Amino acid sequence: VKVFLMAKTSGIYYLCNCNIDDNMKRMQEIDAYIFDVLVPKYASFDAAHKEDHALTVIGQAMKLLDDRKEWLLSQDVPAVEWSVSVDRQVLKMAAACHDLGLVNGRDRHHLDSGVIIRNDENLRKWFTSEEVEVIAQAAEDHRASGTSAPRTIYGMIVAEADRVIDTETIILRTLQFGQKHYPDLSYDEHIQRAVNHLKEKYGRGGYLKLWIPWSDNAVRLQELQDLIADESALVPVVRKLAAVLS
């Protein structure tokens, strides 16, 4: 199926012969690569970053993109900085690739993800060099402990999608990480490590940052911070979830 569209370059309009079938084939190939090749790579990562995590981040990134239009329309003053064009396929690929660097361990995984992306020749079947760089930068910028803001809206959306602000999920992931990386800790030491990490990352004044103003993460983070602020309420929740993992 071919259609003729009006395109504009240098102020001049011209007819563009666009093949819808080619576009559909490209999207199908990208999806196949994401879900058949990339997502299965997460199976070898730690319990908090398995395939379900990759799928969650992809889904959340797509939802944030879809929700943007309604938020923009609701603003009394045009939010020009949030109105920039976002390519759906570039964003989806960035979300799928964001944690691939975990294959080399956690310490530099965001940077290693960028290296893996730039060296993946498969991506160049569907994306320009500039788009591959955007995907790589989004992966590099997603880490919650990063000290600077993501460089592009793609990085902000992926970083926000990676902030799965669900109290039970966050505590379980924290415990799972501790069990894997600190196996010699006693049960009580694991509980205390989890409590300390929750305060450091998610507590009021913690290093976790949110980037997308139309995300509902802020409300959920406030609820989590209320729990973290009351250690007498937090510790029993952590112990209860630790029992699930034992």
Side-chain angles (χ1 to χ4, degrees), residues 37-47 49-52 54:
V37 178
L38 296 181
V39 171
K41 292 179 182 293
Y42 286 72
S44 65
F45 301 158
D46 63 88
H49 296 88
K50 295 292 188 183
E51 300 99 316
D52 61 329

Side-chain angles (χ1 to χ4, degrees), residues 104-152:
N104 297 327
R106 184 168 179 79
D107 289 347
R108 289 173 42 88
H109 80 279
H110 55 307
L111 300 178
D112 287 342
S113 292
V115 172
I116 290 169
I117 291 164
R118 291 185 182 95
N119 290 329
D120 187 347
E121 291 300 323
N122 289 303
L123 299 185
R124 301 181 189 277
K125 299 176 186 176
W126 313 294
F127 302 105
T128 66
S129 295
E130 291 77 12
E131 289 170 332
V132 171
E133 183 61 23
V134 167
I135 294 168
Q137 289 183 6
E140 290 173 338
D141 294 347
H142 85 275
R143 193 166 187 176
S145 57
T147 57
S148 58
R151 287 164 281 184
T152 67

